[in-house]
Amino acid sequence: MSALILALAAGAVIGLALGALGGGGSVLAVPALIYLLGFSPVGATTASLVVVTVTSVTALSAHARDGNVRWRTGLLFAAAGIGPAMLGGALAARVPAAALTAGFAVVAGAAALRMLRPRPAAERSVTVRPTRAAGAGAGLGAVTGVLGVGGGFLAVPALVSVLDLRMRNAVGTSLLVITVNSLAALAMRAGTVEKLDWTVVGPFIGTAILGAWDGKRLAAKVSGHTLQRIFAAVLLAVAACMLVDAAR
């Protein structure tokens, strides 16, 4: 199968995940770029940031029109992650490829297990502590910078459990967090972006954008609980494959 067809198919899946779940696109984009399209771990994480940034902006606009984005909360949450994201982006090129692969697998596996846990009841009252919110945002920023992920697959659970947002609002707000964190990480990788194979990355982005619109429509028809369980199963499978590869 040609690289173009693989890029188109992978982009559609990543966009669907971002549009429906408010995260997870980069967790699938990195292994797809490495194992299907032959990118190096560093090149894959950089390309993933580009894909996720553009796609997240598209999905964010769709969710914002429905009033599902908490702008102030999202910006405050994301602001704490800008510094760590930029530092992580600068350090990523110095991390061995095997360590990047293993680290990504561990984070993906942890996120999958977190998504499989029952969500807090909607009526539960959670007191938001600025230090906890800042700590969560900083941690997400660091993960974004080093591993080339937008952090949405971790941001959604954090926004629900730490900041007490409803699931629909957490999905929309997560896209804002992803966009800010990804832009910060890309700022530290500006010199590597021009080296990407745009004949592959371009089509990847195109179908990801279309997939994000479909994901937004899908989220309105399928329960968030069902989508999360399906996505968590995919994450566990990806994590297992990448751990095996890192151990070779």
Side-chain angles (χ1 to χ4, degrees):
M1 190 177 296
S2 70
L4 176 59
I5 295 176
L6 288 172
L8 292 172
V13 173
I14 275 71
L16 191 68
L18 278 168
L21 296 173
S26 50
V27 179
L28 296 176
V30 170
L33 288 163
I34 293 175
Y35 298 115
L36 295 181
L37 300 171
F39 280 59
S40 69
V42 173
T45 54
T46 300
S48 170
L49 285 170
V50 175
V51 172
V52 169
T53 299
V54 177
T55 309
S56 294
V57 170
T58 302
L60 175 62
S61 65
H63 282 273
R65 279 198 295 273
D66 291 342
N68 292 329
V69 180
R70 298 289 184 86
W71 294 97
R72 180 177 297 180
T73 299
L75 289 172
L76 287 173
F77 190 84
I82 293 177
M86 296 181 72
L87 179 60
L91 294 176
R94 302 180 183 181
V95 179
L100 273 178
T101 302
F104 194 95
V106 170
V107 172
L113 294 175
R114 176 64 184 83
M115 293 177 78
L116 286 172
R117 294 177 186 173
R119 291 190 286 111
E123 66 272 14
R124 179 183 173 187
S125 177
V126 178
T127 302
V128 178
R129 298 178 182 177
T131 53
R132 290 179 63 188
L140 286 171
V143 170
T144 296
V146 175
L147 299 182
V149 298
F153 67 105
L154 296 176
V156 170
L159 289 167
V160 170
S161 61
V162 177
L163 302 183
D164 198 26
L165 297 187
R166 294 181 180 275
M167 186 63 189
R168 198 172 298 277
N169 293 136
V171 169
T173 305
S174 170
L175 291 165
L176 175 60
V177 175
I178 293 171
T179 300
V180 174
N181 282 350
S182 297
L183 285 172
L186 273 176
M188 301 304 297
R189 299 190 184 206
T192 63
V193 172
E194 61 187 24
K195 300 177 183 178
L196 297 176
D197 184 355
W198 287 99
T199 61
V200 173
V201 176
F204 200 117
I205 292 174
T207 53
I209 291 174
L210 295 176
W213 285 100
D214 289 335
K216 170 62 177 61
R217 289 193 289 268
L218 179 64
K221 298 178 180 179
V222 182
S223 71
H225 178 69
T226 300
L227 286 172
Q228 282 192 216
R229 292 187 68 85
I230 293 173
F231 186 66
V234 174
L235 279 184
L236 285 175
V238 169
C241 291
M242 296 191 79
L243 276 177
V244 170
D245 183 64
R248 292 176 181 174

